[in-house]
Each structure stands twice: as structure tokens, then as C-alpha cells.
Amino acid sequence: MLQVYVNGKYYDKDKAVVSVFDHGLLYGDGVFEGMRSYNGKVFRLEDHIKRLYESARSVWIDIPMTQEEMCKATNDTLALNQIQNGYIRLVVTRGSGTLGLDPRKCSNPSVIIITDSIALYPDELYQNGLEMVTAATIRTSPAMLSPRVKSLNYLNNIMAKIEGIQAGCDEALLLNQNGEVAECTGDNIFIVKDGVLMTPPLVAGILGGITRQTVIELAKKAGIEVQETAFTRHDIYSADECFLTGSAAELIPVVKLDMRPIGTGKPGDVTWKLIKLFKELVNG
Ligand code: PXG
């Protein structure tokens, strides 16, 4: 049976539990990471662990182990479950406390590592591209809670996801408080216009995606001009290509926004090229 790491011990998946007094449950008070493994190796593990610790630090959670120990625990959990091509969910909560917000009443952060498989989108969407709609829900402003913190409170994203689902779409686009394009509910966004690859900058109020960073690096290496620059829906409506990036989703083409075809309405050449380069990279 699948073994789940909870605070240094392994449990059968149906016995892996945390307290109902855990502030991760009571208040969404915690942080997490979603990672992928390819051929038994976690993709960009150190980058994910670094982001986890930065998220934790930002919300004043002191993770009771070093980054090296966290990397080792992740690799050990993956190896124990003999997972080659899988998904790893790392969760750190504030820990068990009392009713009431006070984080000082929480004993120790809970550290959970789950390894399993994930399939966010059906294969067909990777071939033909997905359709999305702009959500009325705007992305949490950095002045409220920085979107760079990958926190356990995903209601902002889930509200937008519901809007996408209600509209019959696979994803929803979130704008920031200035009406600029931010990101999607669990993915970063890229567009291609006249051969130039564009993605919103971190200051647009987005999660600093590790797949996003990987794609920027791959594109630059391939001689594609990359601009991290603020843009609006106008730029997507008039773009040649569009795609999303995320650890779970990898790269996935987008062919419609708000019922309007993007470019030719089919995944474009630059998108296919980057998908190919990404596959080559992760498969070593
Ligand atoms: N933006 C947001 C809001 C995310 O949650 C990304 C961008 C992409 O970041 P990475 O580092 O993965 O390239 C994410 C990541 C899920 C799921 O269960 C969501 C993510 C990752 C894994 C699983 O929907 N989001």
C-alpha cells in the first residue's frame, strides 16, 4: 500500500492523518509544493524546496528540518513507493493548535509528503489545446497576500476554477487588480506574438512557477526572444499562440479565450517546439 510521510514516519495511505486542530485545516494556515518525478528523479527538486522554505518564511512558519533533510525525505518517500513517473505533494502546516488564530498556540509544523500519480487534463487537450474563460474573480493582490506564497489557502484560485467549469471551459484566466493578465488557477501563462515569447512578470502578482522559469530558460537557449512584461487580454486575443505551464500540467496549448480563437485556433509552432524541448529535458 502507498506509504505517506507524516512528521518523520511512514503510514499506510488510509492511516496517514493530521489532527482536526491542525491550523492547516482550520485556517488554511500552511504552505505546499507540487512536484513531478521523471524516471525516478524529482524534477528541479532543489528549486521546489527553496520555494517551499521561502513561502514558509514569508508566513512565519519555521520548518523543523533543513532543506537538505527535506530533499532527502522527498527522495526517500519516492523510493519507498517505487514511483518512477509521478507526482509529489509536500505540505507543511502550522501544526496542531487551539481554536483561534494565534500561531503561537501551535505546537510544531506538520510535514507531509504524498507521492502518487496526477493527470490534470486528458490527452486530447494536449493535442488540440484547451479553452479558457476570464474569471470575474481577480487574483489575490500582493498587498493582501503575495501570490508568490504557495499557501494552503487556494480559495481565490478555486473560485476562478469554478467560473471556468461553469462556463464549460477547462481553465480560467485570472487578471490582477490592474486588469492585467496574471495567471491561471494552477498554471502560468505564455503568449507568442511575431515570434516573441511573453509572460507576465512576478510583479504582476503571480506564483513564480518553476515550469515557467524552465520554459524561459529553454526558449532563450533556443534563440527565442523572451519578454517578462505586463500585458492585457487584448494581447491574448491578438496573439499568435498561447500555452500554460505547471508542474502537473507541464506545457499545454490554449486555443480559445472567452470563446474567441487564439491565432489559427490550433496549437502553434513555437508551442510545439517548446513542448518538445521540455520533454527532452525531463526525460534526460
Ligand atoms: N500558478 C499557480 C497559482 C500554481 O498553483 C503554478 C502557477 C505553476 O507553478 P510550477 O512551479 O508548478 O510550474 C502553480 C502550480 C493542482 C496543482 O493540483 C497545481 C499546481 C501544481 C501542482 C498541482 O492543480 N500549481
Side-chain angles (χ1 to χ4, degrees), residues 51 87 89 150 154 157 183 186-188 207 209-211 247:
R51 186 172 69 185
Y87 178 78
R89 171 65 53 93
K150 203 164 162 61
Y154 254 51
N157 312 58
E183 59 183 334
D187 313 287
N188 292 113
L207 181 77
I210 286 160
T211 320
S247 296

Side-chain angles (χ1 to χ4, degrees), residues 69-229:
E69 286 165 347
M70 189 67 85
C71 284
K72 185 175 183 305
T74 306
N75 284 326
D76 288 351
T77 309
L78 199 65
L80 180 68
N81 289 292
Q82 298 182 308
I83 289 173
Q84 290 291 315
N85 298 302
Y87 178 78
I88 303 104
R89 171 65 53 93
L90 236 159
V91 184
V92 179
T93 76
R94 182 83 59 187
S96 191
T98 53
L99 297 179
L101 298 182
D102 192 345
R104 295 170 304 178
K105 303 268 171 65
C106 295
S107 49
N108 288 304
S110 306
V111 179
I112 299 157
I113 307 174
I114 311 167
T115 54
D116 208 342
S117 57
I118 191 169
L120 284 192
Y121 302 111
D123 274 351
E124 182 263 324
L125 293 182
Y126 285 90
Q127 290 309 312
N128 302 325
L130 58 76
E131 298 185 17
M132 59 182 194
V133 69
T134 309
T137 303
I138 64 165
R139 188 75 178 100
T140 313
S141 151
M144 301 169 184
L145 171 68
S146 176
R148 292 183 66 184
V149 174
K150 203 164 162 61
S151 89
L152 289 184
N153 192 327
Y154 254 51
L155 279 173
N156 176 237
N157 312 58
I158 292 164
M159 290 301 108
K161 185 84 184 178
I162 290 168
E163 291 185 59
I165 293 165
Q166 309 284 42
C169 289
D170 314 292
E171 246 303 1
L173 175 71
L174 289 112
L175 307 178
N176 65 20
Q177 73 278 14
N178 300 323
E180 297 157 351
V181 171
E183 59 183 334
C184 295
T185 66
D187 313 287
N188 292 113
I189 184 165
F190 284 81
I191 55 172
V192 180
K193 179 72 174 178
D194 298 330
V196 178
L197 188 63
M198 295 205 299
T199 194
L202 296 182
V203 292
I206 61 170
L207 181 77
I210 286 160
T211 320
R212 171 185 178 277
Q213 189 55 38
T214 304
V215 167
I216 290 172
E217 289 165 18
L218 284 175
K220 284 183 177 165
K221 238 191 239 166
I224 298 166
E225 189 187 333
V226 184
Q227 293 178 0
E228 289 180 64
T229 182

